[in-house]
Amino acid sequence: MPALPPAVISLAGGWIEDYLRDPWGALQLALGHLGDVASAAVPVAVPGLLVGLVGVVGGRWWWRGRCRRRLIENARMVTILAPPTVDPAGGAALWSHLVGLLRPRWKRLLTGQPHLACEYVFSQAGVAIRLWVPGVIPPGLVERAVEAAWPGAHTRTSPAEPPLPAPGAGQRRVLVGGELRLARPDALPIRTDFDADPIRALIGAPVGLDREEHACVHILARPVTGRRLAQARRAARHTHTSSHVAGRVLDLITPGGATRHRDHSRDVARHDPQMSLEHSAANRAIVTKQRGSHYETVIRYAAATLLPHTATTTEVDTAKAAARGRAHAVAASFASYTGHNHYTRHRLRHPDTAFTQRSLRRGDLLSVPELAVLAHLPTDDAIPGIQRAGAKAIAPPPGVAAPGPQAKPLGVTDTGHPRPVALRVPDARHHLHVLGATGSGKSTLLASMILADAEAGRGTVVIDPKGDLVTDVLSRLPRSAADRVVLFDADARTRPPCLNPLDGGETDLTVDNLVSVFRRVYSAFWGPRTDDVMRAACLTLRAQDGTATLADLPTLLAEPAFRARVTAAVTDPVLKGFWSWYEDLTDASRSQVISPLMNKLRAFLLRPFVRDAIAAGPSTIDMTQVLDGGICLLRIPKGTLGEETTRLIGSLVVARVWQTTTARAAIPQAQRRDAGMVIDECHNFLNLPYPMEDMLAEARGFRLAMTLAHQHLGQLPRELKEGISTNARSKIFFNASPEDARELARHTTPRLSDHDLAHLDVYHAAARLVLHGAEAEPFTLLTQPLPPPIPGRAREIRRIAQNTHHQPTPQPTTEDERQARSADPRRNT
């Protein structure tokens, strides 16, 4: 230990010597010296202390304001949509999870502890349950906690706004509010065990609100630990002593008063069994409450009415009385929580500021079960006015692809952090079944997949009987895909390209497809004789030189001269026998035989678009090139062509696509390029002579991915419905009727029930996809809006397609040319 300096030793020794000789005199001398030093330092020290004190207080006030502003800035509102069935344990699970928001001690000292606000907002439309989340809390954390606590709940996040609407122009607002605080020490718990949901009383309190009336309840809470809990434990020791301030003061100033009071309390409790039981029950409740995590909470309530500025004093007083009554009704609903502790009302200064800023300074201490019984989703299904979620939100299974060159985009997940999901191109070969009512988002999904195929250079055929799908695609196609587009548009003024169903391919297959399409489209008016006549006529036309068209059928059946010239070259004995029988018929009998076919052909061919698109001569497009990277868009609105004509044209295109697809058998499988065919309202166009299950099974091997979309199951015949259900293995279901939902739930249970499928929101879909060849678990997704249309892009693509594939407009002819054409019915232009 170092020695003290000699001067210090001398000074100390002198003062000690003086103190030993004259203690009182030495003390007086020391005090005199201190007084002299203090009198000299006061003029400098006091202002310095005052400045320092003001700086500390001002700095602390500024820092607290800065921390409070950070909470309010970028704050968000999480609206909770309750699931159909609410788990009663969800409230405790949520608040137990959110204890993790507790910051480290050093950070709480510097920036404070952020709090949350559970809000019940009442209006004429009902009650909305929300969570106000400060901006300093990471995005998605609270949303995921809510969805984990209540499976099936949905969250909608938006920027935070005041809970009560601000007065608009020409309005004034009458606002009445208050605060609820615990009446006894917060070591004592409120009631938490209920046979029925206690929130029912709160939600029913402000019933009957008018359009301009609103009410709100805030439950502000932040997790606490350490010193705050220690204070509550110390307060718990004095729970059974006098709680009145005057009594405490008398106990302190009276010698032995506090001890005698405690002894008296113990004596009373010892001799009064009822008080003894009460104290024992309170002690057990205190110990139970002290277990687990805790929150510091404050409850605020308010009722507001919007009035015009011109309202009279009487009207204002009436509105204020009504708002006060509603506010008291809301506060009274918390009386049901009375147990060892209860809530009392307190005046709330500046309720407008308090509700807008949602500030929390010091509140009451509640355990997680106590807070959960105050702030949770209603468990009673019969409570009206609650905003409920339509369907559960289910996360996709692991391995679901993201959009890319080899994946078709479907949408984004609706759980947790949204991420895009897609269907892999190899998995799309197992075909996709899309079901959804008009306006549910089905067309948006189809357009996204078509645009992705066009961007990746895959062949695509689109059949649209409404018209909007092709219009949306045209205005968003990339410029690089314009020269690959083949466009059939029934509303266009220019001539379409020609896809002759009697041109190309094997004769038997081509005729079989054509007759089958007519037979299925006109099934109610089609018999075996009509089938026989059309088949023989088509085979005869195919056997001739040149290009036959459907426009030649009426001429062949009705004009003897043309028929004699064509049938003279027939060598097939069966066909020769048919035409011998046909020639032997009388004119009346012949007319009766061909009338069912002729009236359908005339109705079909009288439309200029139909004549130009399928009966104008040789085909001007090559479907093989389309499947190898082209884009064929067939826009055939029913309102323009009629239902039967639309079905017939679309079915003929499907037949040609399938005929071209089966021709890929001559190409090695590894060299076949992926292509897709999107058929909206598919039940109208699947009219081929093959079973649907066989067609879908074979199409996968030929690398043709079919997307079959329609509105409801009632549109599908039984065989078609079973074929699609079995062989279109990927499923995407938008909102379905209850009847369809019960049947479709076979593909999604147990994760998604029929109730979920029947309550999907708009642009919300349930999906079960094929993943690496196997059917994965179902999940839910949200379709994404299409990119904005590119100005002038549709007009540009139409012009390029017209120059590339469409037929030239026929020029006026002379009288001699018209007579020559009338002599040869098989004209091609």
Side-chain angles (χ1 to χ4, degrees), residues 36 56 63 87 137 363 487 530 538 561 568 595 647 700 711 747 804 816:
D36 294 341
V56 170
W63 183 255
D87 185 0
I137 295 179
L487 177 62
T530 305
C538 291
S595 290
R647 292 179 61 195
R700 180 174 64 86
Q711 297 183 26
H747 299 284
T804 305
D816 294 338

Side-chain angles (χ1 to χ4, degrees), residues 382-717:
I383 295 180
I386 298 293
Q387 297 182 7
R388 296 193 179 273
K392 287 183 290 190
I394 305 294
V400 172
Q406 289 300 313
K408 304 181 181 185
L410 301 178
V412 297
T413 60
D414 59 346
T415 57
H417 181 68
R419 71 175 183 89
V421 292
L423 177 63
R424 296 174 61 250
V425 171
D427 293 330
R429 299 170 194 158
H430 293 273
H431 313 299
L432 175 63
H433 178 206
V434 181
L435 183 144
T438 301
S440 60
K442 179 168 73 328
S443 297
T444 301
L445 171 67
L446 298 179
S448 299
M449 298 176 67
I450 295 166
L451 292 172
D453 282 341
E455 185 74 27
R458 289 185 289 270
T460 305
V461 178
V462 181
I463 300 177
D464 178 18
K466 298 177 182 176
D468 294 338
L469 176 60
V470 168
T471 301
D472 291 339
V473 170
L474 278 176
S475 59
R476 294 169 174 85
L477 277 174
R479 174 64 180 79
S480 58
D483 57 350
R484 297 186 285 127
V485 173
V486 177
L487 177 62
F488 292 87
D489 189 353
D491 289 331
R493 296 181 180 180
T494 57
R495 300 188 75 195
C498 182
L499 188 63
N500 187 350
L502 286 173
D503 184 18
E506 297 181 4
T507 297
D508 293 339
L509 180 60
T510 301
V511 173
D512 199 25
N513 287 340
L514 179 60
V515 175
S516 175
V517 167
F518 272 85
R519 180 175 63 248
R520 294 189 177 225
V521 170
Y522 299 106
S523 58
F525 314 99
W526 197 272
R529 179 175 293 178
T530 305
D531 193 274
D532 185 35
V533 170
M534 184 172 185
R535 187 181 303 274
C538 291
L539 289 172
T540 302
L541 290 175
R542 284 276 301 189
Q544 305 308 304
D545 295 332
T547 302
T549 68
L550 283 176
D552 295 331
L553 276 178
T555 308
L556 177 64
L557 296 175
E559 295 189 10
F562 178 68
R563 184 169 59 250
R565 186 166 59 253
V566 171
T567 58
V570 173
T571 58
D572 186 280
V574 178
L575 281 181
K576 292 183 67 173
F578 171 82
W579 290 114
S580 297
W581 166 81
Y582 188 80
E583 292 294 345
D584 292 340
L585 295 175
T586 63
D587 291 342
S589 299
R590 189 181 300 119
S591 176
Q592 186 177 3
V593 168
I594 66 174
S595 290
L597 178 60
M598 293 290 284
N599 57 31
K600 296 170 181 57
L601 287 173
R602 288 195 196 97
F604 185 61
L605 296 171
L606 280 175
R607 299 180 181 273
F609 172 79
V610 175
R611 290 197 307 271
D612 294 337
I614 68 171
S619 296
T620 61
I621 63 172
D622 184 356
M623 192 57 69
T624 300
Q625 294 181 357
V626 171
L627 295 185
D628 287 342
I631 304 169
C632 180
L633 304 177
L634 186 66
R635 185 178 182 274
I636 45 175
K638 292 181 180 180
T640 302
L641 298 176
E643 185 171 356
E644 289 185 347
T645 303
T646 297
R647 292 179 61 195
L648 194 55
I649 295 178
S651 299
L652 292 174
V653 173
V654 171
R656 173 56 66 90
V657 172
W658 180 243
Q659 184 176 344
T660 307
T661 300
T662 55
R664 287 184 163 193
I667 304 174
Q669 187 171 10
Q671 299 179 12
R672 298 168 188 166
R673 298 182 60 180
D674 279 286
M677 181 163 59
V678 178
I679 309 177
D680 197 8
E681 303 297 331
C682 64
H683 56 283
N684 291 311
F685 309 115
L686 300 178
N687 297 306
L688 298 180
Y690 319 105
M692 175 53 57
E693 55 270 20
D694 295 343
M695 179 180 174
L696 294 176
E698 294 178 18
R700 180 174 64 86
F702 295 129
R703 296 197 173 182
L704 176 68
M706 300 182 66
T707 300
L708 308 177
H710 62 107
Q711 297 183 26
H712 57 88
L713 292 178
Q715 296 171 317
L716 305 180

Side-chain angles (χ1 to χ4, degrees), residues 174-178 205-206 209 213-215 301-305 314-332 345 347:
V174 174
L175 180 62
V176 177
L209 292 173
E213 294 180 335
H214 305 269
Y301 61 93
T305 303
T314 303
E315 292 173 341
V316 172
D317 293 341
T318 303
K320 186 176 295 185
R324 186 179 295 110
R326 294 192 183 280
H328 289 175
V330 170
R345 304 176 197 171
R347 184 180 178 184

Side-chain angles (χ1 to χ4, degrees), residues 5-31:
V8 175
I9 296 175
S10 175
L11 180 62
W15 187 86
I16 294 175
E17 184 180 354
D18 294 341
Y19 180 76
L20 292 176
R21 290 176 179 176
D22 186 8
W24 181 247
L27 289 175
Q28 285 182 333
L29 182 62
L31 292 174

